Amino acid sequence: MPHTLITHWPRVLLLWGCGILAAMQFAKVSLAFALLQQQFGVSATQMGWALSVVGVVGLSLGVSMGLLAPRIGYRRLLCGGMLLGAVLAGMQALDLPFHWFVVTRVLEGASHLAVVVAAPTLLSGTTAARHRSIAMGLWSTFVGTAFALTAAGGQQFLAYAGVPSMFALHALLLLMAAVLAWVVLPLDQPPPATAAHGAGLLARHVRTYTDWRTALPGLCFFCYTGMAVALLTFLPRGLTDTDRWAATVLPLMGIAGTFGAGWLTQRSSPLRLLRMLYPSLGLAGVLCAWSAMTGWGYVEAAIALMLISGLAGGSAFALIPHLNHDSAQQARANGAVAQMGNLGATLGPPLFAWSTAMHNAWGLAIPVLLLASTGAVLTQWGSIMQRSATGKPQSP
């Protein structure tokens, strides 16, 4: 998309809303996890796979979607993904057997992927350069916002209307957003001559991951998504009955962090910011585990952990426009972010579940330390590559 000199904030908010509805494909099943498990008569492990299987499509086809997006058209891709999601959510409102429910979840992965590849590219194209980091910071809150909204009012809605009504409401909202996006967003531009054809996808995959500018945002985002959904699932388990209010505050802290990253990256390089955040993230994970063992300050430590993880996620998103300056390159980076993000979302929850089962309180800190250390290594590598690209001497 061509960039603009004026930020179209209604479009920014609409695209953010599309992302929230896409993230609710995860949040709705997380919210109704126990009810769905009882309804289908399956084990917690089977239901856990039904929750995370949405990420499989993004894991396998994330870069392909990013490469094909310019030829499909970002507006068509977004609206098509939203319509597909509406149809599938409507099917889930029916009394489906478990295996067909899982099939709809796999197909929801295609819907989710289309939205998370198209929307941020459209967002960048409808935002002036001076507001782009703020808009990307807002966009990166879509997962936390979806979980916060479901945590705030979801249980009351389920108690009043039931699981089928929740799926039907999600379908209606997706349909309305798709129609609104089709009306409000500008027409797709003709695809560039360099837009990907199917025959060149493998080579372009290689190009995406061998170019540090398109690979680094996705790799850093993996370090965030590897813990994001898992922290929202496992941190509330350490809350006492008197601290249950914090279950709603935790996703809000993640949102505050991701949105705050948009403001911070206006004033500092997102790469420099990430180099400070990853060590802080590892320290927060250790403090959270220590608090869980001692029974002192757990809520404060959990809030700090969510805030810092949100800052890391938002900063990883801000790397896309910071390192990539044309829409086709941004689409490749968004595809890598979608692919690596889905890898993290798929692997993170079972990794945290296994670790907490084996090591109790410290089981939460171990994956956080692992992911934070990986992120620290990646950002050090990115800094070296950036200095090399700009010809600046490396600091000792």
Side-chain angles (χ1 to χ4, degrees):
M1 290 185 61
H3 291 307
T4 179
L5 298 176
I6 300 173
T7 300
H8 196 297
W9 288 110
R11 289 178 186 167
V12 170
L13 295 175
L14 173 60
L15 290 165
W16 180 52
C18 290
I20 292 170
L21 291 174
M24 283 185 175
Q25 292 170 327
F26 285 99
K28 66 184 181 183
V29 174
S30 178
L31 174 70
F33 191 96
L35 293 174
L36 288 169
Q37 182 184 348
Q38 182 180 9
Q39 173 184 321
F40 291 123
V42 296
S43 68
T45 301
Q46 289 173 298
M47 201 63 233
W49 281 112
L51 169 61
S52 64
V53 75
V54 171
V56 171
V57 175
L59 174 60
S60 57
L61 300 177
V63 172
S64 299
M65 187 73 79
L67 296 172
L68 291 173
R71 182 157 296 277
I72 297 170
Y74 299 109
R75 175 172 169 261
R76 283 190 291 269
L77 183 61
L78 174 71
C79 295
M82 299 292 286
L83 286 173
L84 175 60
V87 171
L88 294 168
M91 292 176 62
Q92 291 165 357
L94 307 176
D95 188 18
L96 296 176
F98 182 67
H99 64 278
W100 282 114
F101 178 76
V102 172
V103 169
T104 65
R105 294 290 291 164
V106 173
L107 294 175
E108 272 188 312
S111 165
H112 184 87
L113 179 61
V115 175
V116 300
V117 168
T121 304
L122 289 165
L123 193 67
S124 180
T126 198
T127 308
R130 65 185 180 279
H131 297 140
R132 197 158 295 139
S133 292
I134 297 172
M136 295 306 290
L138 177 65
W139 164 257
S140 64
T141 68
F142 73 97
V143 174
T145 301
F147 273 86
L149 290 173
T150 54
Q155 289 296 344
Q156 293 88 335
F157 182 87
L158 284 177
Y160 175 76
V163 174
S165 296
M166 177 188 69
F167 289 137
L169 177 61
H170 189 221
L172 178 61
L173 292 173
L174 284 164
L175 178 60
M176 292 171 59
V179 173
L180 188 58
W182 187 258
V183 172
V184 170
L185 295 176
L187 297 176
D188 288 313
Q189 300 294 316
T194 56
H197 296 272
L201 285 178
L202 178 59
R204 291 173 185 266
H205 266 78
V206 174
R207 179 184 174 187
T208 295
Y209 284 110
T210 54
D211 185 341
W212 71 275
R213 295 167 299 177
T214 52
L216 187 62
L219 295 173
C220 288
F221 198 60
F222 165 80
C223 297
Y224 164 69
T225 59
M227 67 180 76
V229 175
L231 290 177
L232 288 169
T233 302
F234 292 101
L235 278 177
R237 297 187 179 186
L239 298 172
T240 64
D241 290 339
T242 58
D243 293 330
R244 282 293 151 193
W245 55 270
T248 302
V249 173
L250 290 175
L252 293 176
M253 289 298 101
I255 294 169
T258 48
F259 187 66
W263 293 92
L264 290 174
T265 53
Q266 287 280 91
R267 296 159 177 80
S268 176
S269 160
L271 190 56
R272 185 181 300 113
L273 187 60
L274 281 168
R275 290 185 65 187
M276 295 185 290
L277 286 171
Y278 282 124
S280 302
L281 193 56
L283 177 60
V286 171
L287 288 175
C288 202
W290 178 81
S291 299
M293 290 184 63
T294 61
W296 181 85
Y298 180 79
V299 171
E300 291 80 1
I303 287 174
L305 180 56
M306 286 302 305
L307 179 64
I308 298 170
S309 69
L311 284 167
S315 299
F317 259 116
L319 281 175
I320 297 173
H322 177 71
L323 299 177
N324 304 278
H325 304 298
D326 66 85
S327 62
Q329 196 167 323
Q330 286 180 7
R332 289 196 297 273
N334 280 320
V337 164
Q339 192 167 49
M340 290 294 99
N342 278 287
L343 177 63
T346 301
L347 297 180
L351 172 63
F352 274 76
W354 173 82
S355 184
T356 52
M358 294 292 293
H359 303 288
N360 296 322
W362 283 102
L364 187 74
I366 292 170
V368 171
L369 282 169
L370 177 63
L371 291 164
S373 300
T374 302
V377 172
L378 287 170
T379 51
Q380 178 64 27
W381 167 67
S383 295
I384 293 171
M385 295 301 294
Q386 188 175 51
R387 287 194 293 266
S388 176
T390 57
K392 293 181 180 179
Q394 295 185 18
S395 58

